[in-house]
Amino acid sequence: MTENASQQPPAPTTELPTQYAPADVEGPLYERWVERGYFEADAKSDKPPYTVVIPPPNVTGSLHLGHAFEHTLIDALTRRKRMQGHETLWQPGMDHAGIATQNVVERELAKEGKSRHDLGREAFVERVWQWKAESGGQISGQMRRLGDGVAWSRERFTMDEGLSQAVQTIFKRLYDDELIYRAERIINWCPRCLTAISDIEVEYQDDDGELVSMRYGDGDDSIVVATTRAETMLGDTAVAVHPDDDRYRHLVGTLVKLPLTDRSIPVVADEHVDPEFGTGAVKVTPAHDPNDFEIGQRHGLPSLTIMDEHAVITAHGPFQGLDRLEARSAIVAALRAEGRIVAEKRPYVHSVGHCSRCKTTIEPRLSMQWWVKVGPLAKAAGDAVRDGRVTIHPQEMEKRYFDWVDNLHDWCISRQLWWGHRIPVWYGPDGEVVCVGPDEQPPSGEGWRQDTDVLDTWFSSGLWPFSTLGWPERTESLAKFYPNSVLVTGYDILFFWVARMMMFGLYAMDGTPPFHTIALHGMVRDQFGKKMSKSFGNAVNPLDWMDKYGSDALRFTLARGANPGVDVPIGEDWVQGSRNFANKLWNATRFALMNGATVEGPLPEPSAMSSTDRWILSRLNSVVAEVDAYYDDYQFAKLSDTLFHFAWDEVFDWYVELSKTVFQAGGEPAKVSQRVLGEVLDVTLKLLHPVVPFVTETLWTTLTGGESIVIADWPADSGFRDAAAEREISSLQSVITEVRRFRADQGLQPGQRVPARLTLDGTSLAPHETAIRQLLRLQPEGDSFTATATLPVAGAEVALDLSGTIDVAAERKRLAKDLAAAEKEKAQATAKLGNEAFLAKAPDQVVDKIRTRLAKAEEDITRIQSQLEKLPPA
């Protein structure tokens, strides 16, 4: 901790403002936490470590609901572990986001009428660093708004000097182990960003295109193929059919004339072809389709590149110089003129890949790139989960993980960008290739040049769990905090970031996986379960909700929806409800303080407590145990819901209400309840703190006078249980609930007093008569008392005199009218459901609606009849 942490906290006050104002509290509280060093982690500590890395957000990004959701979960885990006595490190940092950042800066240059080529590589990279210093990383400030308890002194950036050394080190090791190589393969190419992009950077969507069937060759030797990309036919080097397809067996091994060209291409037999799809024959363009490339490799076919990096046709002929889409129309027209078009389907909806950064349609392209040979690395990543060294939560996600790592293709790691980790390979004048490690001097002299490509962003972020701790140096932090305790991330990047961290961690750290547990969560969606998107008009800026309702309200709403691996719906009404919960917590604590609640001294002996006191302490310890179990199982929704209902339903609505009569009476029972209420609030606030840190800090320090709830001890289950007290209070709740329901049914106002006789003898409820009368607004029976309604409940009996409070005749008339309406509704619904002709014709949803009406009518009839029976005679 910092020096400030040892300073004495201000003297506690037992007063709280009448209302909670999050905007006045959250900012100053967070800065105080940071100044006191609560979130820092000491590698020299003898406490057990607990480590979580932040999935590094892009330096170009800003906080969105997905970030807020994920950060809330991680913050809850780390705050709890800190309170449990662990040396807790939540490692912050950002990703340099190669393509996204380069695009941002290039757009800025375009406003000045310049391109990166006008600046040159060195000056452009310097411009990007300048942009980062001035505009990048706004998400850090937004993380503070949310309350992220990260170790800010350890903040890292994937282009930091230390992390760059880690990147160069592992590249060199992989290269020397022949796990990195350079080869010409098909990659995803963005003609706008002018670089290869990874699979995760490709977004697929259904586009309106065209399916064109074309005839190659003539007469009996002709063959028809279909394509959505007619322009690629200029690069065809074969037609493929299935070897068992009798329709084309006579053509296999022959040549067919490729239209619009002077070339003839072979017909080959390949098991990849589906004879049931289309005509059963496919065109093969090895340089512009990944599947065709594999067919070409198997059959020794040439690969003809017919487009440049801008997706402009380079093939000789009349189409040269046309953009791919212009060429598509022109080629179809030319084929149509030759009578080669057999069929055309427009629109033809099909899945098309787009660059996630600029939305340009990606182009499969044969290109010389750098690759990681993932076979042995992926096997190690699979084995680590299979043998139990790493646990995936929820377990059903394991299958998806294995499906991915067991079938992983070699990974293209080179990008044609200027911003990023430059590939540490030099080429000599006589064809030499030298890979240079971080402590080695690159070759110099005439003719030597460094590779111009940079590494895929996922290459450096794959090192995140150990590069942020100082690897390749064997630092104290690395020894203390590696491996990470848990990785909390979305299931959507299980295949990309998670798999890469597993491969690199196991490789670099001598078989030790980067984390013990992978806890996967779902995506945040709107309240109707729809994906949030600006184009849908349902995207939400979490800062707006934090401004309106407070950060705690947003966090609690997100946590209450966080079931493992399941998408999370969220609506503003729910955030407002969480704000109401924070206000309820505030008001209950104010009540407790004003009535002398205290945490001083030990708890009284159970024999000195009332059954109400023993009940709430018994329930409190059960909740502590439940919450711990849910945390250990990453069940954030269940633990949040448990705390919500315990705090609101049991502490606020019952224990606080039942305590009012005790506090009013004073004496020793009041002192006991003051200490019990203090204990209940102390523990409840601690249990809530990891999810709602700001309001709990304010209330806890006021209640206890402690320095900070952030460094308070996590509650432990004392083992105290009192089943008898729980049964007694359950009976009490039943009496009060039933009488309240009856009062409401009779139209009595909540504050309206009613004469009543309570028969509690022989039950455990006798000590609670004062509380029952006060909570139910029941005045003592007078000399003229007449029991007009009697309610037997929980072994007791409550007799009410309603003669002076309601017009019984008018109430009977009203209820009789409601009963007649309900019976009529039941008769109509029953008749329709008994009509076979109606049931045969009516849609299912109409029939279901009538069944619902019938059930509601039957429920109303039962309720109204019960009310009539309980009314006194007119």
Side-chain angles (χ1 to χ4, degrees):
M1 292 184 188
T2 65
E3 188 176 336
N4 288 335
S6 63
Q7 296 176 358
Q8 290 297 317
T13 175
T14 57
E15 295 183 1
L16 286 168
T18 55
Q19 290 186 322
Y20 177 48
D24 297 337
V25 170
E26 293 174 351
L29 262 189
Y30 188 83
E31 291 310 313
R32 189 184 313 157
W33 291 335
V34 173
E35 288 168 6
R36 292 181 175 180
Y38 294 154
F39 304 139
E40 295 303 323
D42 182 3
K44 299 179 185 297
S45 167
D46 58 2
K47 297 178 182 179
Y50 187 81
T51 315
V52 185
V53 295
I54 190 173
N58 288 353
V59 67
T60 59
S62 59
L63 192 74
H64 56 64
L65 270 178
H67 289 127
F69 173 55
E70 185 168 80
H71 290 201
T72 294
L73 305 187
I74 300 174
D75 198 37
L77 291 174
T78 52
R79 283 179 182 269
R80 172 176 176 256
K81 285 296 183 180
R82 190 177 292 112
M83 295 172 75
Q84 287 182 317
H86 288 71
E87 195 62 37
T88 302
L89 170 61
W90 183 9
Q91 173 67 53
M94 286 183 292
D95 191 281
H96 65 279
I99 294 176
T101 306
Q102 180 157 320
N103 280 347
V104 167
V105 178
E106 286 198 80
R107 284 196 294 270
E108 293 294 317
L109 284 175
K111 295 176 184 177
E112 303 170 14
K114 297 178 182 177
S115 73
R116 60 183 165 119
H117 300 285
D118 294 324
L119 273 65
R121 183 168 192 145
E122 187 174 335
F124 175 77
V125 170
E126 182 59 37
R127 179 69 176 262
V128 180
W129 279 108
Q130 179 184 339
W131 174 86
K132 177 188 178 291
E134 295 173 355
S135 308
Q138 62 174 316
I139 201 168
S140 296
Q142 295 165 344
M143 287 166 58
R144 293 172 182 264
R145 281 288 313 277
L146 190 64
D148 286 4
V150 299
W152 287 113
S153 69
R154 292 173 173 266
E155 185 175 11
R156 305 306 299 268
F157 180 55
T158 49
M159 289 284 285
D160 284 349
E161 182 178 348
L163 271 68
S164 295
Q165 182 183 18
V167 168
Q168 194 171 352
T169 298
I170 202 161
F171 187 100
K172 170 69 171 174
R173 291 187 186 179
L174 289 164
Y175 181 87
D176 289 346
D177 288 343
E178 298 183 350
L179 293 173
I180 282 183
Y181 64 95
R182 192 168 184 244
E184 195 173 43
R185 297 270 186 88
I186 291 284
I187 45 89
N188 301 311
W189 181 263
C190 176
R192 156 62 183 80
C193 298
L194 298 180
T195 181
I197 60 176
S198 66
D199 290 337
I200 198 172
E201 292 161 328
V202 179
E203 292 180 348
Y204 287 90
Q205 65 185 48
D206 288 341
D207 286 357
D208 287 344
E210 61 182 4
L211 182 66
V212 179
S213 298
M214 308 175 292
R215 183 180 300 280
Y216 289 7
D218 298 298
D220 293 339
D221 294 335
S222 67
I223 194 166
V224 175
V225 298
T227 182
T228 58
R229 301 164 65 221
E231 69 279 6
T232 62
M233 59 87 59
L234 299 174
D236 286 358
T237 56
V239 172
V241 298
H242 193 274
D244 297 332
D245 194 333
D246 290 337
R247 292 171 296 175
Y248 304 115
R249 195 183 299 276
H250 68 289
L251 292 178
V252 174
T254 67
L255 297 177
V256 63
K257 181 69 181 295
L258 181 66
L260 308 182
T261 72
D262 294 326
R263 293 189 292 116
S264 292
I265 57 177
V267 178
V268 300
D270 194 281
E271 291 189 352
H272 168 77
V273 180
D274 180 1
E276 303 298 324
F277 182 78
T279 64
V282 296
K283 56 192 288 301
V284 182
T285 320
H288 294 277
D289 184 273
N291 293 323
D292 292 3
F293 177 79
E294 297 296 332
I295 294 175
Q297 292 290 295
R298 287 193 288 272
H299 296 277
L301 302 174
S303 297
L304 302 182
T305 299
I306 54 102
M307 290 183 216
D308 65 14
E309 64 269 24
H310 297 280
V312 171
I313 301 297
T314 57
H316 294 298
F319 312 108
Q320 187 174 4
L322 294 181
D323 171 80
R324 57 182 165 169
L325 299 182
E326 296 172 334
R328 182 175 301 170
S329 299
I331 286 171
V332 170
L335 290 168
R336 191 182 299 113
E338 289 191 3
R340 296 281 175 184
I341 299 298
V342 176
E344 297 178 71
K345 185 176 181 180
R346 295 188 187 88
Y348 178 73
V349 179
H350 61 129
S351 181
V352 178
H354 297 260
C355 174
S356 63
R357 305 301 178 189
C358 67
K359 311 309 176 187
T360 301
T361 300
I362 63 107
E363 189 66 41
R365 175 179 169 82
L366 185 62
S367 179
M368 182 67 75
Q369 302 285 346
W370 285 95
W371 304 81
V372 171
K373 186 185 295 182
V374 300
L377 302 175
K379 182 181 183 303
D383 290 345
V385 174
R386 287 188 170 96
D387 64 25
R389 281 175 290 159
V390 178
T391 300
I392 294 179
H393 187 87
Q395 189 175 3
E396 53 264 28
M397 288 288 181
E398 278 188 5
K399 183 180 184 302
R400 297 178 66 179
Y401 176 79
F402 291 136
D403 286 347
W404 180 257
V405 296
D406 293 347
N407 299 285
L408 203 56
H409 296 295
D410 285 359
W411 170 21
C412 176
I413 57 172
S414 47
R415 299 291 179 266
Q416 290 64 55
L417 304 171
W418 286 358
W419 172 245
H421 297 282
R422 196 162 174 184
I423 289 177
V425 172
W426 272 256
Y427 305 105
D430 298 319
E432 303 95 331
V433 178
V434 177
C435 180
V436 177
D439 300 322
E440 301 172 351
Q441 288 294 322
S444 58
E446 187 175 349
W448 283 93
R449 60 182 178 83
Q450 185 178 0
D451 195 299
T452 58
D453 289 351
V454 300
L455 287 163
D456 177 13
T457 298
W458 296 100
F459 191 94
S460 50
S461 61
L463 313 181
W464 194 246
F466 52 92
S467 64
T468 52
L469 298 173
W471 187 91
E473 301 299 323
R474 293 289 173 176
T475 63
E476 286 183 320
S477 290
L478 188 65
K480 178 74 174 180
F481 297 113
Y482 187 92
N484 294 182
S485 305
V486 61
L487 173 75
V488 180
T489 191
Y491 63 71
D492 58 324
I493 56 174
L494 171 65
F495 314 130
F496 304 103
W497 187 47
V498 179
R500 281 148 175 67
M501 285 190 290
M502 287 284 283
M503 291 190 296
F504 281 163
L506 289 159
Y507 174 80
M509 298 300 294
D510 302 319
T512 302
F515 18 74
H516 297 301
T517 301
I518 302 169
L520 298 170
H521 59 73
M523 305 295 105
V524 178
R525 297 183 179 272
D526 72 12
Q527 64 197 86
F528 306 108
K530 191 175 181 180
K531 180 181 178 181
M532 285 192 171
S533 166
K534 290 181 180 178
S535 60
F536 294 154
N538 62 350
V540 174
N541 182 346
L543 294 175
D544 292 341
W545 281 353
M546 286 192 280
D547 288 342
K548 195 170 183 180
Y549 303 110
S551 298
D552 285 334
L554 175 64
R555 290 170 61 117
F556 196 58
T557 305
L558 290 166
R560 286 191 76 185
N563 291 297
V566 178
D567 288 346
V568 183
I570 185 172
E572 185 169 0
D573 288 350
W574 305 345
V575 185
Q576 186 174 352
S578 295
R579 188 272 313 273
N580 295 344
F581 176 65
N583 289 342
K584 188 83 169 179
L585 197 62
W586 185 272
N587 292 334
T589 307
R590 284 189 75 244
F591 166 84
L593 291 169
M594 289 188 294
N595 284 276
T598 181
V599 297
E600 293 182 6
L603 279 171
E605 290 297 319
S607 59
M609 297 180 191
S610 69
S611 57
T612 308
D613 294 329
R614 296 196 306 275
W615 160 71
I616 197 64
L617 288 176
S618 180
R619 287 293 304 125
L620 178 68
N621 280 286
S622 294
V623 167
V624 170
E626 288 175 37
V627 168
D628 275 333
Y630 286 141
Y631 261 117
D632 292 341
D633 199 34
Y634 304 98
Q635 297 279 1
F636 296 98
K638 289 182 178 179
L639 73 89
S640 299
D641 217 44
T642 295
L643 287 169
F644 174 85
H645 287 294
F646 174 70
W648 194 304
D649 299 346
E650 299 185 74
V651 178
F652 306 155
D653 282 357
W654 285 107
Y655 185 70
V656 166
E657 291 301 316
L658 291 170
S659 298
K660 288 179 179 178
T661 56
V662 179
F663 293 145
Q664 288 168 1
E668 192 60 30
K671 291 181 180 179
V672 172
S673 290
Q674 287 168 343
R675 180 64 188 88
V676 170
L677 180 54
E679 180 75 10
V680 170
L681 286 175
D682 175 24
V683 173
T684 302
L685 290 170
K686 287 176 180 176
L687 293 174
L688 281 165
H689 171 72
V691 180
V692 285
F694 294 108
V695 68
T696 52
E697 168 81 334
T698 306
L699 296 176
W700 186 86
T701 52
T702 305
L703 173 71
T704 68
E707 179 184 341
S708 174
I709 197 172
V710 177
I711 54 173
D713 291 336
W714 182 255
D717 175 9
S718 70
F720 175 77
R721 301 290 190 280
D722 192 324
E726 291 196 35
R727 287 194 299 271
E728 180 176 323
I729 301 306
S730 178
S731 296
L732 175 62
Q733 292 169 332
S734 296
V735 169
I736 293 172
T737 301
E738 182 63 26
V739 177
R740 280 176 173 168
R741 184 182 298 117
F742 176 76
R743 287 176 56 109
D745 287 345
Q746 303 310 315
L748 296 176
Q749 295 301 313
Q752 190 172 353
R753 293 197 166 273
V754 178
R757 181 175 62 238
L758 305 184
T759 305
L760 306 176
D761 294 342
T763 74
S764 60
L765 298 175
H768 301 286
E769 179 167 354
T770 301
I772 291 173
R773 287 189 176 276
Q774 186 162 328
L775 291 174
L776 291 174
R777 305 295 190 270
L778 303 180
Q779 62 192 40
E781 56 187 296
D783 295 337
S784 60
F785 178 83
T786 302
T788 58
T790 302
L791 305 175
V793 57
E797 188 175 271
V798 180
L800 304 174
D801 183 353
L802 305 179
S803 57
T805 56
I806 62 172
D807 184 336
V808 176
E811 184 65 12
R812 279 191 175 278
K813 185 175 181 181
R814 181 184 72 80
L815 290 173
K817 182 178 179 182
D818 291 345
L819 180 61
E823 288 174 336
K824 180 179 179 181
E825 175 73 3
K826 176 184 176 180
Q828 290 176 341
T830 302
K832 284 191 175 182
L833 293 173
N835 185 334
E836 294 296 335
F838 169 78
L839 292 176
K841 296 179 181 178
D844 290 344
Q845 59 266 33
V846 173
V847 176
D848 289 342
K849 188 174 181 181
I850 294 172
R851 288 195 178 109
T852 302
R853 283 170 49 194
L854 175 60
K856 176 67 166 54
E858 290 174 338
E859 181 183 313
D860 289 344
I861 290 168
T862 301
R863 176 180 54 81
I864 296 167
Q865 286 175 337
S866 176
Q867 290 175 243
L868 283 166
E869 289 169 3
K870 292 174 182 177
L871 277 176

